[in-house]
Amino acid sequence: MGELVRRVSAAVVVSALGVSLAACGQPDDNAPHPGEQTPKPVLLKLATTDSIASLDPAGPYDAGARTIQANLYQTLLTILPDKPTPVPDAADCQFDSPTTYTCSLKDQLTFPNGHKLTASDVKFSFDRLVKLKTPGGAASWFSSVKSVSTPDELTAVFNLTHPDARLPYLLTTTAASIVDEQSYPANALLENKAVGSGPYQLAAYTPGSELTLTKFAGYRGSRAAQNDGVTISLKKDSAALYAAITTGKADLAYHGFGPSLLDNLRKSNQVQVVEASSAEIRFFTFQMKSLIARKPAVRQAVAQLIDRPAIAKKAYGDHVNPLYSVVPPGFGGQVDAFKAAYKQPNKATATALLKAAGIVTPVPLTVGWTPTQYGTGAKAEVLELKRQLEASGLFKVTLRSAEWPQYQVGTKAGAYDLYQAGWTPDYPDADDYVAPFVAADGAFANGYRSSAALKLLQQERTEQNGLKRDDLISQLQGVLAQDAPVIPVWQGRVAVAAGKDLQGVQTAVDQLSLLYFSPLRK
């Protein structure tokens, strides 16, 4: 105790001496220097055609809302650019056992209202998400979480009903955002307000019109803001978005440009257009109710003939990237499985596949597509597919279109042998690309059954060693390429337009089409 008193006393003396020296004319580095101007705040103007369903992370899970939530709230883990695996944001997390996932919060985390962020807020946020079960929300993703316990105020433990290797990835989504339990009702959504611990805080919000976010100086995480705030204007259409960026009324514009407007912007010397691969993929799915589609040789022959670069060029003006697996590049375990299995388009190889199976050619094939849901390139895409297949002399293709409601019914009923489809994952993990085709309750359950694929899916979902899990996911893609129940065609791109003096744009764009405002600076 005596030593402690002596140290404190010495510190007081040193502090007092420092004050005395400053008062006697010694320079104070913290004081403004004569003639020095206070730096002006860097306030950015953004524009988007997004609509925002809810600022509450327990609300509907739509793209417009997620972008705003990603900047207002903090998650336990996050995924940074060019890093496919989760890293700490509010916490450091690890599996203590196959069914116990422990997150240790950083000390001294706070919300902008001054409330401390503790493990109790984490538990409240997850319990609330599951309890509300908002239609269009993400509560079902966390079905493996039996409970969240809080041994102390800096520790949150996720107790699982079964091993779930997806959990770290799920915890990076805005659905897993941490809210202030003192500010949010447990039984209802909080409308038009937000209290998170992210890099920004909500300063003003006019629903359907504009939001203003200011930098939260108390944020302690991996995405510290490089600017002082942003104002986001919600535009009614692509023309208004285009006008905002070309007239200088916006520093950056995102979500809403079509290919033609993007081409115009690329030719302009006023702005920069930054593109990144998005998580959206497009593919053709075989319906196993069709006697033709059930034949492996037919599916493999189509996979052998398809020319993806030609589709990307002719249907989309090279605004998309050819895709050779159901898992696009950038996700753990990704391999170009279809390129490995089928190499280049080859008529002779396709002919041999059909001949070996005793299939008479030309094979009649009905291909379904929908004109509105998948955009202006959808028709050109199926026309190019038809051209490619018929040019081989091995197939006779009939195209059938239907608007979205009828199309959904037709794809499930077996109205088409092969049909056009698309997918954007809910969480940033390769599992959300393979499960829709393999799991019996998957989003694209087309009657495909494979014990080998199902076993690999179950194994990767419980494997906690990252390298082993990536290998299982790679093997699973190989099985899908060999069986060809689905043929991947292209991966989308997300594009933003920005003033030429704006920096950090590339790292602001996320694969899931979110935009993180933190890296933006002038």
Side-chain angles (χ1 to χ4, degrees):
M1 180 63 73
E3 178 63 25
L4 176 60
V5 170
R6 283 193 293 274
R7 290 183 181 176
V8 172
S9 298
V12 172
V13 170
V14 171
S15 177
L17 180 60
V19 172
S20 177
L21 288 172
C24 292
Q26 294 296 323
D28 179 4
D29 288 337
N30 295 320
H33 295 285
E36 187 179 84
Q37 293 184 347
T38 303
K40 290 184 179 179
V42 180
L43 302 174
L44 303 177
K45 297 173 292 183
L46 312 183
T48 181
T49 58
D50 281 345
S51 58
I52 299 170
S54 175
L55 296 180
D56 194 324
Y61 197 74
D62 69 294
R66 282 186 292 160
T67 286
I68 303 304
Q69 291 165 10
N71 290 280
L72 289 173
Y73 299 94
Q74 195 170 16
T75 48
L76 294 167
L77 302 172
T78 190
I79 291 182
L80 298 176
D82 301 321
K83 295 184 183 296
T85 54
V87 298
D89 192 8
D92 194 1
C93 304
Q94 66 179 29
F95 279 103
D96 291 332
S97 77
T99 56
T100 305
Y101 194 65
T102 300
C103 292
S104 301
L105 290 169
K106 294 176 181 177
D107 198 8
Q108 298 180 344
L109 293 175
T110 63
F111 294 102
N113 57 15
H115 296 168
K116 289 177 63 178
L117 190 161
T118 69
S120 181
D121 294 294
V122 175
K123 175 178 172 55
F124 172 82
S125 300
F126 280 91
D127 289 349
R128 177 175 180 266
L129 173 72
V130 173
K131 183 177 183 179
L132 287 174
K133 291 183 181 176
T134 306
S140 62
W141 303 352
F142 299 93
S143 59
S144 65
V145 179
K146 179 171 58 177
S147 65
V148 180
S149 54
T150 56
D152 58 62
E153 69 172 16
L154 293 180
T155 306
V157 180
F158 291 81
N159 306 295
L160 309 182
T161 57
H162 57 271
D164 189 353
R166 303 172 304 157
L167 184 59
Y169 296 88
L170 293 171
L171 293 179
T172 69
T173 66
T174 56
S177 297
I178 306 165
V179 302
D180 178 13
E181 65 179 315
Q182 298 179 60
S183 302
Y184 282 73
N187 301 311
L189 296 177
L190 183 66
E191 299 294 342
N192 304 333
K193 294 181 182 179
V195 185
S197 59
Y200 295 90
Q201 57 187 314
L202 184 65
Y205 179 35
T206 303
S209 178
E210 188 175 271
L211 303 91
T212 298
L213 279 55
T214 56
K215 180 179 180 178
F216 173 38
Y219 169 71
R220 297 183 66 236
S222 304
R223 299 183 182 275
Q226 304 300 304
N227 55 69
D228 296 293
V230 298
T231 296
I232 305 106
S233 297
L234 307 180
K235 302 300 182 182
K236 62 179 180 179
D237 54 32
S238 58
L241 190 68
Y242 182 83
I245 192 63
T246 53
T247 60
K249 293 181 180 178
D251 296 302
L252 182 144
Y254 65 98
H255 293 175
F257 294 115
S260 60
L261 288 180
L262 278 175
D263 283 337
N264 290 342
L265 289 170
R266 286 191 186 90
K267 297 172 186 174
S268 169
N269 59 5
Q270 299 173 281
V271 301
Q272 55 176 315
V273 176
V274 174
E275 287 186 295
S277 296
S278 79
E280 177 193 12
I281 65 170
R282 200 69 61 82
F283 48 90
F284 285 97
T285 300
F286 283 99
Q287 172 53 261
M288 299 305 168
K289 289 181 179 179
S290 158
L291 294 177
I292 294 173
R294 285 184 202 168
K295 299 175 180 179
V298 169
R299 304 196 301 267
Q300 292 165 351
V302 172
Q304 184 63 70
L305 292 170
I306 189 168
D307 185 342
R308 294 167 177 82
I311 291 176
K313 184 176 182 62
K314 293 182 180 180
Y316 299 98
D318 284 330
H319 287 289
V320 300
N321 299 327
L323 182 65
Y324 297 91
S325 175
V326 295
V327 180
F331 292 84
Q334 193 275 343
V335 290
D336 285 341
F338 277 77
K339 181 175 283 189
Y342 301 100
K343 308 296 189 294
Q344 297 296 321
N346 190 298
K347 175 183 174 181
T349 304
T351 301
L353 284 167
L354 294 172
K355 185 176 181 180
I359 297 173
V360 178
T361 59
V363 179
L365 198 67
T366 300
V367 176
W369 68 284
T370 184
T372 304
Q373 179 71 14
Y374 293 130
T376 55
K379 183 176 182 180
E381 181 175 342
V382 294
L383 285 172
E384 175 58 17
L385 177 70
K386 173 182 170 73
R387 187 198 68 77
Q388 292 177 12
L389 296 181
E390 291 189 337
S392 71
L394 302 175
F395 290 92
K396 177 61 179 175
V397 177
T398 300
L399 298 180
R400 287 184 184 169
S401 70
E403 285 297 343
W404 187 240
Q406 293 81 14
Y407 186 69
Q408 289 178 294
V409 173
T411 58
K412 294 176 182 177
Y416 321 108
D417 304 311
L418 183 67
Y419 61 91
Q420 185 182 54
W423 180 247
T424 300
D426 294 316
Y427 50 92
D429 182 29
D431 175 87
D432 206 16
Y433 284 103
V434 291
F437 306 107
V438 177
D441 58 350
F444 295 96
N446 61 344
Y448 169 66
R449 295 289 182 270
S450 165
S451 58
L454 187 58
K455 181 179 179 180
L456 287 166
L457 179 70
Q458 293 168 341
Q459 287 177 324
E460 65 87 1
R461 284 189 160 183
T462 58
E463 178 56 64
Q464 292 167 8
N465 180 295
L467 293 177
K468 291 181 180 179
R469 183 170 186 253
D470 284 352
D471 182 60
L472 291 167
I473 291 171
S474 297
Q475 291 181 50
L476 178 49
Q477 290 166 83
V479 172
L480 289 173
Q482 182 61 39
D483 293 348
V486 55
I487 300 177
V489 180
W490 56 261
Q491 176 184 12
R493 297 181 196 159
V494 55
V496 300
K500 287 201 167 183
D501 61 341
L502 195 64
Q503 301 177 49
V505 181
Q506 189 72 53
T507 53
V509 182
D510 176 78
Q511 270 197 322
L512 293 183
S513 295
L514 307 182
L515 191 73
Y516 289 97
F517 307 144
S518 297
L520 301 175
R521 60 193 185 279
K522 287 188 174 181

